[in-house]
Amino acid sequence: MSELINAKVQNGIAWIEINRPKALNALNFQVLSEFANCLDNLKKDKSVRAVIIKGAGDKAFVAGADIGEMKDMSPKEAKEFSKKGQEVFMEIENFPVPTIALINGYALGGGCELAISCDMRIASDNARLGTPEITLGVIPGFGGTKRLTRVVGDAFAKELMFTGRMMKADEALERGLVNRVVSGEELESEGEKLASEIADKSGVVMSILKEVSTKQSELTAEQGMLIESSAFSVCFSTEDQTEGMNAFLSKRKPEFKHQ
Ligand code: DAK
Protein backbone atom coordinates (compact mmCIF):
# COMPACT_ATOMS: atom_id res chain seq x y z
CA MET A 1 0.00 0.00 0.00
CA SER A 2 1.20 3.49 -0.84
CA GLU A 3 1.43 6.03 1.99
CA LEU A 4 3.26 8.87 0.38
CA ILE A 5 1.63 8.85 -3.04
CA ASN A 6 -2.13 9.13 -3.53
CA ALA A 7 -3.55 8.23 -6.91
CA LYS A 8 -7.03 8.16 -8.41
CA VAL A 9 -8.42 7.95 -11.93
CA GLN A 10 -11.52 9.94 -12.89
CA ASN A 11 -12.96 10.56 -16.36
CA GLY A 12 -9.75 9.51 -18.12
CA ILE A 13 -7.57 11.69 -15.87
CA ALA A 14 -5.11 10.23 -13.37
CA TRP A 15 -4.41 12.45 -10.36
CA ILE A 16 -1.14 11.76 -8.56
CA GLU A 17 -0.58 13.53 -5.25
CA ILE A 18 2.73 13.57 -3.38
CA ASN A 19 1.54 13.29 0.18
CA ARG A 20 4.20 14.44 2.62
CA PRO A 21 2.96 17.92 3.47
CA LYS A 22 4.76 18.20 6.84
CA ALA A 23 8.08 18.07 4.96
CA LEU A 24 6.70 20.22 2.11
CA ASN A 25 6.46 17.01 0.03
CA ALA A 26 10.25 16.61 -0.08
CA LEU A 27 11.35 13.64 -2.15
CA ASN A 28 13.01 10.86 -0.19
CA PHE A 29 13.84 7.36 -1.44
CA GLN A 30 10.44 6.01 -0.30
CA VAL A 31 8.50 8.73 -2.15
CA LEU A 32 10.49 8.02 -5.31
CA SER A 33 9.92 4.24 -5.00
CA GLU A 34 6.18 4.66 -4.44
CA PHE A 35 6.05 7.14 -7.33
CA ALA A 36 7.72 4.55 -9.61
CA ASN A 37 5.17 1.88 -8.58
CA CYS A 38 2.30 4.28 -9.09
CA LEU A 39 3.48 5.13 -12.63
CA ASP A 40 3.87 1.42 -13.43
CA ASN A 41 0.27 0.77 -12.36
CA LEU A 42 -1.15 3.76 -14.21
CA LYS A 43 0.70 2.79 -17.37
CA LYS A 44 -1.30 -0.45 -17.44
CA ASP A 45 -4.62 1.39 -17.05
CA LYS A 46 -5.83 1.97 -20.59
CA SER A 47 -8.54 4.39 -19.40
CA VAL A 48 -5.88 6.98 -18.47
CA ARG A 49 -5.47 9.69 -21.14
CA ALA A 50 -3.92 12.52 -19.11
CA VAL A 51 -2.02 12.74 -15.83
CA ILE A 52 -2.02 15.55 -13.26
CA ILE A 53 0.75 15.67 -10.64
CA LYS A 54 0.33 17.81 -7.52
CA GLY A 55 1.64 18.20 -3.99
CA ALA A 56 -0.53 17.76 -0.89
CA GLY A 57 -1.29 20.79 1.27
CA ASP A 58 -1.30 24.45 0.36
CA LYS A 59 2.39 25.33 0.80
CA ALA A 60 4.33 23.27 -1.67
CA PHE A 61 4.31 21.27 -4.85
CA VAL A 62 7.65 19.72 -3.79
CA ALA A 63 10.36 21.62 -1.84
CA GLY A 64 13.13 19.46 -3.27
CA ALA A 65 14.95 16.27 -2.55
CA ASP A 66 14.96 15.39 1.15
CA ILE A 67 17.94 17.25 2.60
CA GLY A 68 17.87 15.26 5.87
CA GLU A 69 18.08 11.99 3.96
CA MET A 70 20.80 13.27 1.62
CA LYS A 71 23.02 14.90 4.22
CA ASP A 72 25.07 11.84 5.23
CA MET A 73 24.99 9.97 1.95
CA SER A 74 28.19 8.41 0.68
CA PRO A 75 29.09 9.21 -2.95
CA LYS A 76 27.82 5.71 -3.87
CA GLU A 77 24.47 6.28 -2.12
CA ALA A 78 24.21 9.73 -3.72
CA LYS A 79 24.66 8.12 -7.13
CA GLU A 80 21.93 5.54 -6.38
CA PHE A 81 19.59 8.29 -5.16
CA SER A 82 20.26 10.42 -8.19
CA LYS A 83 19.74 7.42 -10.49
CA LYS A 84 16.43 6.57 -8.81
CA GLY A 85 15.15 10.14 -9.26
CA GLN A 86 16.40 10.29 -12.84
CA GLU A 87 14.62 7.00 -13.63
CA VAL A 88 11.31 8.19 -12.18
CA PHE A 89 11.51 11.57 -13.93
CA MET A 90 12.45 9.87 -17.21
CA GLU A 91 9.36 7.65 -16.81
CA ILE A 92 7.30 10.83 -16.45
CA GLU A 93 8.91 12.47 -19.48
CA ASN A 94 8.24 9.36 -21.54
CA PHE A 95 4.87 8.54 -19.99
CA PRO A 96 2.57 7.49 -22.83
CA VAL A 97 -0.01 10.20 -22.13
CA PRO A 98 0.41 13.96 -21.52
CA THR A 99 1.35 15.06 -17.99
CA ILE A 100 0.59 18.33 -16.20
CA ALA A 101 2.27 19.61 -13.01
CA LEU A 102 0.09 21.79 -10.76
CA ILE A 103 2.50 24.01 -8.85
CA ASN A 104 1.00 25.23 -5.62
CA GLY A 105 3.69 27.01 -3.60
CA TYR A 106 7.31 25.84 -3.61
CA ALA A 107 8.79 23.88 -6.52
CA LEU A 108 12.45 23.87 -5.58
CA GLY A 109 15.39 21.71 -6.54
CA GLY A 110 14.05 18.20 -7.18
CA GLY A 111 10.53 19.73 -7.16
CA CYS A 112 11.40 22.04 -10.02
CA GLU A 113 13.06 19.09 -11.79
CA LEU A 114 9.89 17.05 -11.33
CA ALA A 115 7.77 19.87 -12.75
CA ILE A 116 9.95 20.20 -15.85
CA SER A 117 9.84 16.48 -16.53
CA CYS A 118 6.08 16.99 -17.07
CA ASP A 119 4.80 18.16 -20.45
CA MET A 120 3.02 21.25 -19.08
CA ARG A 121 2.97 23.29 -15.90
CA ILE A 122 0.26 25.45 -14.33
CA ALA A 123 1.33 27.57 -11.35
CA SER A 124 -0.72 29.24 -8.67
CA ASP A 125 0.10 32.88 -8.03
CA ASN A 126 1.89 31.94 -4.77
CA ALA A 127 4.32 29.58 -6.57
CA ARG A 128 8.06 29.92 -5.98
CA LEU A 129 10.37 28.08 -8.32
CA GLY A 130 14.11 27.60 -8.33
CA THR A 131 17.10 25.33 -8.18
CA PRO A 132 18.82 26.12 -4.85
CA GLU A 133 21.11 23.04 -4.89
CA ILE A 134 24.24 25.20 -5.22
CA THR A 135 23.45 26.85 -1.86
CA LEU A 136 23.58 23.36 -0.27
CA GLY A 137 26.89 22.42 -1.83
CA VAL A 138 25.47 20.13 -4.51
CA ILE A 139 24.20 20.38 -8.07
CA PRO A 140 20.82 19.33 -9.50
CA GLY A 141 20.80 15.53 -9.58
CA PHE A 142 17.45 14.52 -11.09
CA GLY A 143 17.98 15.69 -14.66
CA GLY A 144 17.77 19.43 -14.01
CA THR A 145 21.03 20.38 -15.71
CA LYS A 146 19.64 18.77 -18.86
CA ARG A 147 15.96 19.74 -18.82
CA LEU A 148 16.13 23.28 -17.44
CA THR A 149 18.32 24.35 -20.34
CA ARG A 150 15.83 22.80 -22.75
CA VAL A 151 12.89 24.64 -21.15
CA VAL A 152 14.27 28.15 -20.50
CA GLY A 153 17.46 28.26 -22.60
CA ASP A 154 21.11 28.03 -21.64
CA ALA A 155 21.78 31.49 -20.17
CA PHE A 156 18.72 31.72 -17.93
CA ALA A 157 19.02 28.08 -16.80
CA LYS A 158 22.61 28.81 -15.78
CA GLU A 159 21.57 32.01 -13.96
CA LEU A 160 19.01 30.05 -11.93
CA MET A 161 21.36 27.16 -11.17
CA PHE A 162 24.42 29.33 -10.46
CA THR A 163 22.62 31.71 -8.09
CA GLY A 164 20.08 29.29 -6.60
CA ARG A 165 17.60 32.16 -6.37
CA MET A 166 13.85 31.65 -6.11
CA MET A 167 11.57 33.11 -8.73
CA LYS A 168 7.93 34.15 -8.43
CA ALA A 169 5.19 32.76 -10.64
CA ASP A 170 4.98 35.78 -12.97
CA GLU A 171 8.71 35.61 -13.76
CA ALA A 172 8.42 31.86 -14.38
CA LEU A 173 5.59 32.63 -16.81
CA GLU A 174 7.59 35.32 -18.57
CA ARG A 175 10.49 32.86 -18.98
CA GLY A 176 8.29 30.06 -20.34
CA LEU A 177 8.88 27.82 -17.35
CA VAL A 178 5.13 27.57 -16.72
CA ASN A 179 2.25 27.61 -19.20
CA ARG A 180 -0.01 29.84 -17.12
CA VAL A 181 -0.58 31.32 -13.68
CA VAL A 182 -3.92 31.18 -11.88
CA SER A 183 -5.14 31.81 -8.34
CA GLY A 184 -4.69 29.04 -5.76
CA GLU A 185 -8.46 28.42 -5.76
CA GLU A 186 -8.52 27.91 -9.51
CA LEU A 187 -5.46 25.68 -9.76
CA GLU A 188 -7.17 22.27 -9.68
CA SER A 189 -10.08 23.28 -11.89
CA GLU A 190 -7.69 24.81 -14.47
CA GLY A 191 -5.62 21.63 -14.40
CA GLU A 192 -8.71 19.51 -14.81
CA LYS A 193 -9.96 21.68 -17.68
CA LEU A 194 -6.69 21.32 -19.58
CA ALA A 195 -6.47 17.59 -18.84
CA SER A 196 -10.10 17.07 -19.99
CA GLU A 197 -9.45 18.88 -23.26
CA ILE A 198 -6.58 16.47 -23.86
CA ALA A 199 -8.47 13.37 -22.65
CA ASP A 200 -11.29 14.16 -25.11
CA LYS A 201 -8.99 13.57 -28.07
CA SER A 202 -7.94 10.22 -29.47
CA GLY A 203 -5.81 8.48 -26.82
CA VAL A 204 -3.91 6.40 -29.33
CA VAL A 205 -3.02 9.34 -31.56
CA MET A 206 -2.20 11.53 -28.54
CA SER A 207 0.39 8.95 -27.42
CA ILE A 208 2.00 9.04 -30.84
CA LEU A 209 2.01 12.86 -30.76
CA LYS A 210 3.47 12.97 -27.25
CA GLU A 211 6.27 10.59 -28.15
CA VAL A 212 7.21 12.42 -31.33
CA SER A 213 7.05 15.92 -29.85
CA THR A 214 9.02 14.88 -26.74
CA LYS A 215 11.83 13.37 -28.79
CA GLN A 216 12.16 16.35 -31.16
CA SER A 217 14.43 18.46 -28.94
CA GLU A 218 17.10 15.72 -28.93
CA LEU A 219 17.08 15.13 -32.70
CA THR A 220 18.56 16.82 -35.74
CA ALA A 221 16.05 18.43 -38.15
CA GLU A 222 16.50 15.53 -40.55
CA GLN A 223 15.92 12.88 -37.86
CA GLY A 224 12.97 14.87 -36.51
CA MET A 225 11.28 15.04 -39.92
CA LEU A 226 11.85 11.33 -40.41
CA ILE A 227 10.22 10.26 -37.14
CA GLU A 228 7.39 12.75 -37.75
CA SER A 229 6.53 11.30 -41.15
CA SER A 230 6.79 7.70 -39.85
CA ALA A 231 4.54 8.55 -36.90
CA PHE A 232 2.13 10.43 -39.20
CA SER A 233 1.77 7.31 -41.32
CA VAL A 234 1.11 5.17 -38.19
CA CYS A 235 -1.94 7.39 -37.44
CA PHE A 236 -3.49 5.99 -40.61
CA SER A 237 -3.56 2.52 -39.06
CA THR A 238 -5.90 3.71 -36.27
CA GLU A 239 -9.70 3.67 -36.18
CA ASP A 240 -9.62 7.16 -34.70
CA GLN A 241 -8.03 8.66 -37.82
CA THR A 242 -10.92 7.29 -39.87
CA GLU A 243 -13.45 8.49 -37.29
CA GLY A 244 -11.85 11.96 -36.97
CA MET A 245 -11.87 12.62 -40.69
CA ASN A 246 -15.31 11.08 -41.29
CA ALA A 247 -16.73 13.19 -38.47
CA PHE A 248 -15.25 16.36 -39.94
CA LEU A 249 -16.66 15.61 -43.39
CA SER A 250 -20.09 14.74 -41.89
CA LYS A 251 -20.01 17.97 -39.83
CA ARG A 252 -20.36 16.12 -36.52
CA LYS A 253 -18.26 15.71 -33.36
CA PRO A 254 -15.89 12.72 -33.51
CA GLU A 255 -16.49 9.79 -31.19
CA PHE A 256 -13.01 8.50 -30.57
CA LYS A 257 -12.55 4.92 -29.40
CA HIS A 258 -8.90 5.56 -28.52
CA GLN A 259 -7.72 2.83 -30.84
N1 DAK B 1 14.08 18.38 2.55
C1 DAK B 1 13.69 17.96 3.78
N2 DAK B 1 12.84 18.67 4.55
C2 DAK B 1 12.37 19.82 4.06
C3 DAK B 1 12.74 20.31 2.78
C4 DAK B 1 13.64 19.52 2.00
N3 DAK B 1 14.00 19.85 0.77
N4 DAK B 1 12.12 21.49 2.57
C5 DAK B 1 11.39 21.73 3.68
N5 DAK B 1 11.53 20.73 4.58
C6 DAK B 1 10.93 20.61 5.88
C7 DAK B 1 11.57 21.56 6.89
O1 DAK B 1 12.75 20.99 7.41
C8 DAK B 1 10.49 21.68 7.93
O2 DAK B 1 10.49 20.51 8.72
P1 DAK B 1 10.28 20.60 10.34
O3 DAK B 1 11.34 21.51 10.85
O4 DAK B 1 8.89 21.18 10.51
O5 DAK B 1 10.39 19.17 10.81
C9 DAK B 1 9.21 21.64 7.11
O6 DAK B 1 9.58 21.04 5.85
C10 DAK B 1 8.65 23.02 6.80
O7 DAK B 1 9.68 23.80 6.26
P2 DAK B 1 10.09 25.24 6.84
O8 DAK B 1 9.79 25.33 8.30
O9 DAK B 1 11.50 25.50 6.40
O10 DAK B 1 9.06 26.16 6.06
P3 DAK B 1 9.26 27.69 5.63
O11 DAK B 1 7.93 28.13 5.13
O12 DAK B 1 9.90 28.49 6.72
O13 DAK B 1 10.30 27.66 4.41
C11 DAK B 1 11.19 26.79 2.34
C12 DAK B 1 9.94 27.01 3.22
C13 DAK B 1 10.79 25.96 1.11
C14 DAK B 1 11.72 28.16 1.84
C15 DAK B 1 12.29 26.09 3.16
O14 DAK B 1 11.71 24.94 3.79
C16 DAK B 1 13.45 25.63 2.34
O15 DAK B 1 14.32 26.42 1.97
N6 DAK B 1 13.52 24.31 2.07
C17 DAK B 1 14.61 23.72 1.32
C18 DAK B 1 14.48 24.03 -0.13
C19 DAK B 1 15.65 23.48 -0.93
O16 DAK B 1 16.79 23.88 -0.69
N7 DAK B 1 15.33 22.60 -1.85
C20 DAK B 1 16.34 21.97 -2.66
C21 DAK B 1 16.72 20.71 -2.01
S1 DAK B 1 18.15 20.03 -2.79
C22 DAK B 1 21.38 14.63 -6.24
C23 DAK B 1 20.08 14.23 -6.17
C24 DAK B 1 19.12 15.17 -6.02
C25 DAK B 1 19.43 16.50 -5.90
C26 DAK B 1 20.75 16.89 -5.99
C27 DAK B 1 21.72 15.97 -6.17
N8 DAK B 1 22.39 13.67 -6.37
C28 DAK B 1 22.27 12.51 -5.54
C29 DAK B 1 23.52 13.93 -7.16
C30 DAK B 1 18.41 17.44 -5.61
C31 DAK B 1 18.64 18.34 -4.63
C32 DAK B 1 17.58 19.14 -4.06
O17 DAK B 1 16.45 19.12 -4.42
Side-chain angles (χ1 to χ4, degrees):
M1 213 188 76
S2 188
E3 285 169 31
L4 299 175
I5 299 289
N6 295 326
K8 63 175 181 187
V9 178
Q10 261 171 2
N11 306 321
I13 303 167
W15 293 79
I16 303 177
E17 180 180 68
I18 299 148
N19 183 30
R20 215 189 154 208
K22 284 194 180 134
L24 304 187
N25 303 317
L27 303 171
N28 59 15
F29 209 88
Q30 194 187 339
V31 173
L32 291 173
S33 297
E34 290 187 17
F35 212 136
N37 292 340
C38 172
L39 292 170
D40 272 354
N41 290 335
L42 289 175
K43 223 197 252 184
K44 291 178 206 138
D45 183 340
K46 295 297 167 213
S47 73
V48 173
R49 293 192 298 283
V51 173
I52 291 176
I53 300 176
K54 64 189 280 287
D58 54 12
K59 270 193 83 176
F61 172 64
V62 168
D66 189 312
I67 300 169
E69 195 176 82
M70 281 191 296
K71 187 176 80 70
D72 294 321
M73 277 180 185
S74 66
K76 185 170 172 281
E77 287 166 334
K79 185 138 196 184
E80 276 162 23
F81 186 56
S82 170
K83 250 184 95 184
K84 183 78 192 166
Q86 286 177 355
E87 275 167 21
V88 175
F89 291 9
M90 208 55 173
E91 274 290 309
I92 295 169
E93 179 171 309
N94 293 324
F95 203 75
V97 308
T99 52
I100 303 165
L102 295 188
I103 304 172
N104 185 21
Y106 297 107
L108 301 174
C112 186
E113 291 173 294
L114 170 60
I116 59 176
S117 68
C118 294
D119 297 307
M120 292 155 284
R121 289 158 286 285
I122 304 179
S124 68
D125 48 17
N126 74 337
R128 296 285 181 279
L129 299 95
T131 49
E133 288 89 340
I134 193 71
T135 66
L136 297 162
V138 290
I139 67 167
F142 294 153
T145 56
K146 177 86 186 146
R147 292 196 182 94
L148 197 58
T149 300
R150 201 159 77 187
V151 177
V152 297
D154 183 65
F156 191 61
K158 283 180 174 160
E159 181 185 323
L160 285 179
M161 291 189 287
F162 292 175
T163 63
R165 80 172 167 86
M166 266 190 236
M167 149 180 67
K168 290 187 178 170
D170 45 359
E171 187 180 0
L173 179 65
E174 199 182 303
R175 293 289 180 172
L177 187 52
V178 300
N179 294 57
R180 69 189 73 149
V181 178
V182 298
S183 70
E185 298 79 63
E186 290 170 310
L187 188 61
E188 290 205 2
S189 60
E190 277 294 312
E192 190 171 8
K193 209 161 90 187
L194 178 58
S196 300
E197 244 186 274
I198 290 165
D200 256 8
K201 310 292 187 296
S202 160
V204 64
V205 177
M206 189 63 75
S207 290
I208 296 170
L209 178 57
K210 156 123 191 207
E211 190 177 10
V212 173
S213 51
T214 302
K215 296 281 175 236
Q216 286 301 346
S217 64
E218 307 293 333
L219 300 175
T220 63
E222 201 177 331
Q223 291 164 336
M225 296 303 152
L226 195 64
I227 69 155
E228 186 184 84
S229 59
S230 305
F232 179 71
S233 85
V234 173
C235 297
F236 287 77
S237 66
T238 67
E239 288 179 24
D240 285 348
Q241 173 269 327
T242 310
E243 168 61 11
M245 294 191 179
N246 278 338
F248 174 80
L249 294 172
S250 318
K251 302 190 188 306
R252 64 172 171 82
K253 206 174 170 281
E255 284 177 37
F256 291 125
K257 299 277 189 322
H258 313 295
Q259 54 194 21

